[in-house]
Amino acid sequence: MKKFLMSIMVMMIAVIMGACEKIAVLDPKGPVAKTQADTIIFSMLMMLGVLLVVYILFIVIINKYRASKLPEDYEPPHEEGSKWLEIIWTVIPVVIVTILSVVTVKTTTAVETVPKGHENDKTLVIYASSSNWKWHFSYPEQGIETVNYVNIPTNRHVEFRLYSFGPMTSFWVPQLGGQKYAMSDMVTKLNFVASSEGSFIGKNSNFNGEGFAGMEFEVLAMSDNEFNSWVTDVKETAPALTEKEFDKLLEIEHLGRKTYTSTHLEFRPAPEGENAGHHHGSSDSESGTHDHHEMDMDMEGDK
């Protein structure tokens, strides 16, 4: 029996660890993603412990109380309930949920702040906005903008400010951090730090139409020197982003990579501060809002 239980446990651990090697979210390349991966693994181990206890009790019970040859007139003895057992199997789930809740709250608080050890970094602010099935990345300090790819320096705090020019999307780079929604009327913030150089896949994790599956982008983490050289090269070679060009980009559904030596924030600012609540959606959405306004006015006139 002991060998059987041990073999089951070994098999379950092997399956879980084997799956971890193929899942990007469990292969963190930054402190934020590491915190989240640790929480996921801790939760999985907690659940594995619960399953292990349940399977052991299941095997013990079906062996101990299995059917046996008894006389037809056999009547099992009456068993009184145990108050201690009732208390134990009520308290245990409460304890498990409490532990998971505390860990989850601590993790959520940690990932919403600047990662430890990077409090004194000069934060790199990048505005990430979505439209149709593509992503626009604006670097206000550097004065450049890219489409469907974003370059960041390693070991430096990066703050992504997210919003959308259409339906709600979700910005997610599994190996660098968790997902957060991008909406049309407000800016949400996401903290990242890439602890090693490399190329990481980012995606939209919120379904927003037929082009959802292809709404991916590359995050390229590089050294400070390489990042500064790239910025200089963009400023020397890329064209400026005009409002007319940007309006064309918004209309295009699928697009490859683009690079510009100015940002759309100059003429189409993000919905924050004085611009908070400004609608960045499509023209259809804007006309719909206008129709609702007219309807309200008509109703007031009828009164």
Side-chain angles (χ1 to χ4, degrees):
M1 178 64 68
K2 291 183 178 179
K3 291 182 178 180
F4 176 71
L5 293 176
M6 286 298 295
S7 62
I8 291 178
M9 186 175 178
V10 171
M11 288 176 62
M12 292 178 66
I13 294 175
V15 170
I16 293 174
M17 297 308 294
C20 292
E21 294 181 1
K22 300 178 182 179
I23 301 176
V25 74
L26 297 179
D27 182 26
K29 300 299 182 183
V32 176
K34 180 68 166 56
T35 299
Q36 294 175 323
D38 290 343
T39 302
I40 292 172
I41 293 174
F42 176 78
S43 302
M44 292 171 62
L45 292 175
M46 287 281 289
M47 290 184 284
L48 179 61
V50 172
L51 288 175
L52 186 62
V53 172
V54 171
Y55 289 149
I56 291 175
L57 291 176
F58 175 72
I59 294 172
V60 170
I61 290 173
I62 62 174
N63 276 277
K64 185 176 180 179
Y65 299 101
R66 66 184 184 277
S68 58
K69 294 180 180 181
L70 294 171
E72 293 183 359
D73 59 346
Y74 171 76
E75 186 174 337
H78 177 70
E79 297 285 350
E80 291 289 342
S82 171
K83 291 183 179 180
W84 284 111
L85 286 177
E86 293 283 352
I87 293 173
I88 289 173
W89 61 54
T90 301
V91 169
I92 289 177
V94 173
V95 171
I96 293 173
V97 172
T98 301
I99 292 173
L100 291 175
S101 299
V102 171
V103 172
T104 302
V105 169
K106 290 180 66 176
T107 299
T108 303
T109 303
V111 300
E112 288 295 327
T113 58
V114 178
K116 289 184 178 180
H118 296 273
E119 295 86 354
N120 297 323
D121 287 1
K122 182 182 179 182
T123 301
L124 173 63
V125 176
I126 302 176
Y127 285 83
S129 54
S130 60
S131 67
N132 282 326
W133 300 294
K134 55 189 176 297
W135 292 92
H136 310 261
F137 297 97
S138 307
Y139 299 74
E141 182 181 347
Q142 288 73 24
I144 62 176
E145 181 160 323
T146 61
V147 179
N148 287 335
Y149 81 96
V150 56
N151 293 349
I152 61 174
T154 56
N155 298 310
R156 179 179 173 185
H157 175 226
V158 180
E159 180 184 273
F160 282 97
R161 299 185 181 180
L162 316 172
Y163 61 100
S164 173
F165 283 96
M168 184 169 66
T169 55
S170 181
F171 184 90
W172 187 31
V173 186
Q175 290 182 277
L176 295 180
Q179 67 87 29
K180 185 166 283 189
Y181 291 108
M183 295 166 278
S184 62
D185 291 339
M186 64 180 292
V187 169
T188 54
K189 297 179 181 180
L190 191 61
N191 297 295
F192 277 175
V193 172
S195 56
S196 59
E197 298 181 17
S199 174
F200 311 108
I201 295 298
K203 59 186 68 179
N204 167 29
S205 61
N206 184 66
F207 181 75
N208 65 329
E210 61 181 355
F212 160 75
M215 196 173 175
E216 295 185 344
F217 58 92
E218 180 190 20
V219 180
L220 186 61
M222 56 184 67
S223 66
D224 280 334
N225 291 335
E226 290 177 322
F227 177 77
N228 293 331
S229 297
W230 170 73
V231 171
T232 301
D233 182 64
V234 169
K235 289 183 176 181
E236 293 176 351
T237 60
L241 178 61
T242 63
E243 187 171 3
K244 184 178 181 180
E245 171 73 9
F246 185 68
D247 288 338
K248 290 181 180 179
L249 293 178
L250 294 180
E251 293 297 325
I252 299 173
E253 294 185 351
H254 299 282
L255 187 67
R257 296 189 177 196
K258 292 284 187 178
T259 309
Y260 299 95
T261 189
S262 59
T263 76
H264 71 262
L265 299 174
E266 300 170 6
F267 47 81
R268 202 73 60 84
E272 60 183 350
E274 295 181 356
N275 299 304
H278 178 67
H279 190 77
H280 280 73
S282 62
S283 58
D284 291 340
S285 298
E286 290 174 355
S287 63
T289 304
H290 180 66
D291 292 340
H292 283 300
H293 178 67
E294 289 183 345
M295 186 180 297
D296 292 339
M297 294 294 290
D298 292 339
M299 291 177 67
E300 290 181 3
D302 293 339
K303 292 180 181 178

